[in-house]
């Protein structure tokens, strides 16, 4: 229970909070706040919390059903997500949602190969199947750029179908990466420090050729599925940006972060432009990414250090047609790893640090609630005071979390709305191991003191 001073400090939150009881109607104030926005970004304070996935599913369903959203874009690789897109549209050979998600093999697979995502894509498939003939189906797309080699395979498959000679030229250009197997970081390191020639010119040349021949190649799409050229062109963009990203990651964190978020924002722009053109209507898109991507960086430590984010770029491009929603938790469990590439574990999330937003939201003493924050309101002013904010990615190291998982932010300027769950539990991977089921032992193990 909060102390008396803490209760007083949190009083405006109790007055403004919309308690969430599990009913979709609890998000009515958020639907009102979203209004006619065409870009809605739904965040998460971790990459492994069940409640964040579940509630984003609830909100996404309402956006599709009530506001006509027709695209879901997530923090995932384009080619892996595109297989899910084909399944929800009913043009995949995969028999089940689990099979459609099989492309998510790269660490951290649990982000998308989990039971909550299965529920979402199963619902999307059912929604699309029930639409009348000719109606715009809802798609599922990846925004990230890690899929250098998988995207190369996708471009080559497309060209081999529509123009084998062009496929030969592309294969020659992409052969620049052959010495590195499928280790993109090894390529980046070697190219950055002069141990190997850069593939930059080759990947740019391939993208330029693909775009120059867009109309000609599109006329040959009778042999391949609808939107095949768009898929190939997006993969070629991923290859170009991934090549640059893997070179940049060894020269500075800020430059590589900015390149990645710029790529994701430009992919959103490309999706909107493409579907505006093919459907003849104003496309609306919902984005699922971490808080650190969908929040506006200008109101965080990261922004003051020179980083920008997808949320910031969306606000700058689409203005009031953008709505940014953050998600927070005070304590519980989370699916995360102890190192990059390490197995998924079910770890305990420590109670929020004193002086953090999570502690302040905890002091409201409401198990779960929604906050919309009109400007100049009392709650907006309270949540504009700089405080610590927690961010847990795919790696969680509780013993060092002040340094590794907290930064200063101005919450009501960073987001347009916040969803808080005081206690949360780990998202369950489709391939949960015995280690994951066992969970993290108490900090006092093995003494029990």
């Amino acid at each position: 229970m909060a102390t008396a001073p803490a209760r007083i400090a949190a009083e405006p939150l109790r007055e403004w909070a919309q308690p969430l009881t599990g009913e979709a109607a609890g998000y009515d104030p958020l639907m009102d706040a979203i209004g006619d926005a065409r870009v809605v970004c739904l965040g998460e304070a971790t990459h492994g919390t069940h409640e964040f996935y579940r509630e984003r599913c609830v909100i996404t369903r309402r956006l599709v059903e009530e506001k006509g959203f027709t695209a879901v874009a997530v923090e995932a690789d384009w080619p892996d997500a595109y297989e899910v897109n084909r399944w929800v549209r009913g043009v995949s050979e995969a028999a089940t949602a689990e099979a459609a998600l099989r492309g998510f093999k790269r660490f951290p697979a649990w982000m998308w190969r989990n039971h909550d995502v299965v529920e979402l894509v199963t619902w999307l498939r059912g929604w699309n199947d029930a639409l009348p003939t000719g109606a715009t189906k809802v798609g599922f797309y990846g925004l990230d750029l890690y899929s250098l080699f998988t995207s190369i395979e996708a471009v080559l498959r497309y060209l081999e179908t529509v123009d084998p000679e062009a496929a030969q030229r592309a294969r020659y250009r992409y052969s620049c990466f052959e010495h590195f197997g499928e280790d993109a970081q090894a390529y980046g390191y070697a190219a950055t420090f002069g141990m190997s020639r850069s593939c930059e010119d080759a990947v740019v040349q391939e993208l330029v050729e693909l775009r120059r021949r867009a109309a000609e190649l599109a006329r040959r799409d009778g042999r391949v599925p609808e939107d095949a050229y768009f898929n190939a062109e997006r993969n070629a963009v991923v290859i170009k940006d991934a090549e640059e990203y893997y070179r940049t990651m060894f020269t500075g964190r800020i430059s590589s972060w900015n390149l990645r978020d710029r790529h994701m924002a430009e992919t959103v722009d490309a999706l909107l432009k493409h579907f505006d053109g093919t459907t003849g209507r104003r496309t609306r898109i919902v984005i699922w990414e971490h808080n650190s991507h969908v929040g506006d960086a200008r109101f965080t430590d990261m922004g003051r250090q020179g980083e920008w984010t997808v949320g910031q770029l969306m606000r700058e491009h689409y203005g009031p047609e953008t709505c940014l929603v953050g998600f927070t938790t005070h304590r519980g469990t989370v699916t995360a790893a102890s190192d990059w590439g390490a197995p998924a574990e079910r770890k305990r999330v420590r109670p929020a640090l004193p002086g953090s937003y999570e502690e302040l939201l905890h002091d409201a003493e409401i198990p779960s609630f929604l906050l919309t924050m009109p400007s100049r309101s009392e709650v907006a002013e309270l949540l504009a005071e700089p405080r610590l904010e927690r961010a847990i990615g795919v790696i969680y190291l509780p013993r060092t979390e002040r340094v590794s998982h907290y930064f200063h932010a101005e919450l009501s300027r960073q987001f347009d709305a916040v969803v808080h769950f005081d206690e949360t539990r780990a998202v369950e991977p489709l391939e949960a191991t015995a280690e994951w089921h066992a969970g993290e032992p108490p900090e006092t193990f093995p003494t029990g003191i």
Side-chain angles (χ1 to χ4, degrees):
M1 180 175 294
T3 64
R7 283 185 59 82
I8 293 171
E11 188 60 37
L13 300 180
R14 282 188 288 277
E15 294 177 4
W16 279 89
Q18 170 70 45
L20 297 172
T21 60
E23 299 295 324
Y27 289 107
D28 285 350
L30 180 59
M31 294 298 114
D32 292 340
I34 289 170
D36 291 329
R38 70 181 310 200
V39 179
V40 174
C41 297
L42 303 180
E44 56 182 357
T46 85
H47 276 321
T49 296
H50 160 68
E51 285 79 4
F52 299 159
Y53 281 87
R54 182 191 67 198
E55 299 305 299
R56 290 187 299 184
C57 287
V58 172
I59 296 168
T60 298
R61 287 181 60 167
R62 291 197 61 177
L63 292 175
V64 171
E65 292 173 334
E66 301 170 29
K67 293 183 177 288
F69 279 62
T70 54
V72 180
V74 302
E75 189 180 337
D77 291 330
W78 177 274
D80 299 344
Y82 202 78
E83 287 305 306
V84 180
N85 175 61
R86 296 183 69 247
W87 189 79
V88 300
R89 288 173 173 270
V91 294
S92 168
E93 296 177 359
T96 63
E98 290 91 335
L101 291 162
R102 67 182 179 273
F104 291 100
K105 299 174 183 176
R106 181 183 64 79
F107 175 87
W110 75 79
M111 273 183 63
W112 305 112
R113 286 192 58 79
N114 65 61
H115 292 281
D116 293 300
V117 173
V118 167
E119 183 176 338
L120 170 68
V121 300
T122 300
W123 183 86
L124 290 173
R125 173 64 181 267
W127 172 268
N128 285 339
D129 286 350
L131 291 173
T133 302
T136 301
K137 295 185 175 183
V138 181
F140 186 92
Y141 306 95
L143 300 177
D144 228 326
L145 49 53
Y146 292 116
S147 59
L148 175 62
F149 293 99
T150 312
S151 289
I152 287 174
E153 293 172 5
V155 172
L156 293 177
R157 279 198 307 271
Y158 169 75
L159 290 175
E160 284 165 357
T161 303
V162 299
D163 189 339
E165 290 185 5
Q168 253 186 335
R169 292 193 296 273
R171 185 172 287 104
Y172 172 76
R173 286 168 179 150
Y174 293 149
S175 68
C176 177
F177 297 103
E178 285 182 354
H179 300 299
F180 304 95
E182 293 196 1
D183 189 341
Q185 289 193 33
Y187 160 74
Y189 184 86
T192 299
F193 296 106
M195 299 164 64
S196 176
R197 68 187 178 94
S198 165
C199 298
E200 179 180 8
D201 290 344
V203 299
V204 170
Q205 288 169 10
E206 183 55 37
L207 177 59
V208 168
E209 177 176 335
L210 202 61
R211 285 176 166 169
R212 178 175 55 81
R213 302 183 62 216
E216 175 192 353
L217 292 171
R219 287 196 297 270
R220 306 185 188 196
D221 276 1
R223 293 180 245 161
V224 293
E226 183 183 1
D227 281 343
Y229 171 80
F230 178 66
N231 178 41
E233 188 265 353
R234 285 292 95 200
N235 274 298
V237 172
V238 170
I239 296 163
K240 178 187 76 69
D241 287 350
E243 185 278 331
E244 183 180 358
Y245 174 82
Y246 284 111
R247 281 189 290 110
T248 305
M249 68 185 298
F250 291 100
T251 60
R253 179 187 184 278
I254 292 175
S255 55
S256 60
W257 175 280
N258 286 351
L259 194 157
R260 183 177 172 221
D261 274 51
R262 184 191 69 199
H263 170 87
M264 292 193 285
E266 289 177 350
T267 303
V268 173
D269 295 338
L271 285 164
L272 292 174
K273 181 179 179 181
H274 174 72
F275 289 113
D276 281 356
T278 59
T279 65
R281 55 178 287 187
R282 176 175 172 270
T283 304
R284 306 177 78 179
I285 189 168
V286 54
I287 298 168
W288 286 30
E289 292 195 310
H290 197 280
N291 283 351
S292 57
H293 293 295
V294 305
D296 191 327
R298 291 173 294 186
F299 305 104
T300 69
D301 281 344
M302 299 182 301
R304 286 181 279 274
Q305 293 167 9
E307 292 183 1
W308 59 62
T309 55
V310 172
Q312 172 187 340
L313 296 173
M314 292 296 100
R315 275 181 172 174
E316 291 174 348
H317 192 165
Y318 298 101
E321 290 192 308
T322 302
C323 184
L324 311 181
V325 185
F327 286 69
T328 64
T329 184
H330 171 62
R331 64 182 300 167
T333 59
V334 66
T335 297
S338 295
D339 200 359
W340 189 264
E345 302 174 48
R346 183 157 50 92
K347 293 170 169 272
R348 287 176 297 103
V349 177
R350 288 185 170 186
L353 289 180
S356 67
Y357 277 115
E358 290 80 4
E359 182 197 51
L360 177 63
L361 298 173
H362 166 71
D363 288 341
E365 297 183 334
I366 304 173
S368 58
F369 59 91
L370 163 71
L371 277 175
T372 54
M373 299 174 287
S375 60
R376 294 184 295 278
S377 64
E378 185 178 5
V379 72
E381 292 302 315
L382 173 64
L383 298 180
E385 299 172 6
R387 290 176 179 264
L388 290 174
E389 181 182 315
R390 181 158 56 191
I392 298 173
V394 296
I395 296 169
Y396 181 43
L397 303 171
R399 294 182 185 279
T400 64
E401 70 172 6
R402 172 59 186 88
V403 174
S404 54
H405 299 295
Y406 277 92
F407 59 96
H408 283 93
E410 300 163 33
L411 196 69
S412 62
R413 297 188 176 110
Q414 184 187 9
F415 300 106
D416 300 300
V418 170
V419 179
H420 179 74
F421 286 87
D422 210 54
E423 186 162 356
T424 50
R425 63 182 174 88
V427 71
E428 184 174 354
L430 292 180
E431 292 84 18
T433 63
E435 182 181 30
W436 183 90
H437 282 292
E440 187 179 32
E443 289 188 19
T444 54
F445 178 87
T447 64
I449 297 173

